[in-house]
Structure formats: structure tokens, C-alpha cells
Amino acid sequence: QVHLVESGGGSVQAGGSLKLSCAASGYSFSSCNMGWYRQAPGRERELVSSIGDSGESTYYRDSVKARFTISRDNANNILYLQMNNLRTDDTAIYYCAACYRINIDDYLYWGRGTQVTVSS
């Protein structure tokens, strides 16, 4: 079975940092692009960042540019999201997603999420 397991969430003060990890198994990790989504209470799930299968292409939503860095370790099947200078509006459940498919306009696999809470 495919498993995506997020870790690294927690509670921090504004301005602090967290590094999220997504450990993947059960599929060809290096053949799939990956993404981090988040969902805050009362808001729609939104794409935070994504990375191509080889790490050559990255995307960041405007609100996290220059603060977050997405990376991947294909040798160990791990996706990372380094989050610096966190703000209170970064508070959300963060989800790891794998293998975007254009024909369904969605990722094929999803993790269960990890909570990030940023306090002022």
C-alpha cells in the first residue's frame, strides 16, 4: 500500500521555524511530483508548494515565497518543507500529496496531515 506520513508539525511562536517531513513508501517516489497543501479551519485546502519529480521545478504560493523551501530526498523517499519566519496565518493542517495527474486535476496519494500552530 502507498503511505505518506507527515511529521514535524507542532506549536511555535510567530517568527519561528519548523521543518515538515513526508516519508513515502509503496510507490515509485522519484517518478512523481510532490506537493504540500494546508487547510485552516473554515478555509479551503490550498496548495502551499510543489516540486517536480527530480526537484528541478518548484512552486510556492505568494504568501510563503522567501519563507518556505520545498525539497526532496529521492534516495530516501522523503519530502521536506522548511518553514521560516512563520506567521499566525500559517496555522493549518499540512498535508503531503504525491503524483499529480492532470486528467483528474488532483494528486493520486495523500497523507493524513500534521498540525502546525503559530501563535503571536
Side-chain angles (χ1 to χ4, degrees), residues 26-112:
Y27 72 101
S28 182
F29 180 81
S30 62
S31 68
C32 284
N33 55 16
M34 303 284 290
W36 287 100
Y37 281 73
R38 67 187 181 188
Q39 188 167 27
R43 299 181 65 87
E44 296 291 326
R45 181 179 291 181
E46 63 184 18
L47 177 64
V48 178
S49 182
S50 62
I51 187 167
D53 55 1
S54 299
E56 77 287 346
S57 179
T58 58
Y59 162 84
Y60 301 92
R61 70 182 303 108
D62 286 346
S63 62
V64 308
K65 287 179 179 176
R67 298 191 298 121
F68 292 10
T69 303
I70 191 170
S71 62
R72 62 191 296 160
D73 179 355
N74 284 352
N76 293 297
N77 295 353
I78 305 174
L79 176 73
Y80 298 103
L81 185 67
Q82 177 67 51
M83 304 185 294
N84 298 325
N85 193 24
L86 284 160
R87 309 188 309 215
T88 55
D89 59 0
D90 294 318
T91 295
I93 300 173
Y94 284 71
Y95 298 90
C96 173
C99 304
Y100 177 78
R101 295 289 184 263
I102 193 169
N103 61 330
I104 60 171
D105 191 26
D106 199 3
Y107 285 83
L108 199 58
Y109 309 117
W110 291 84
R112 294 171 60 188

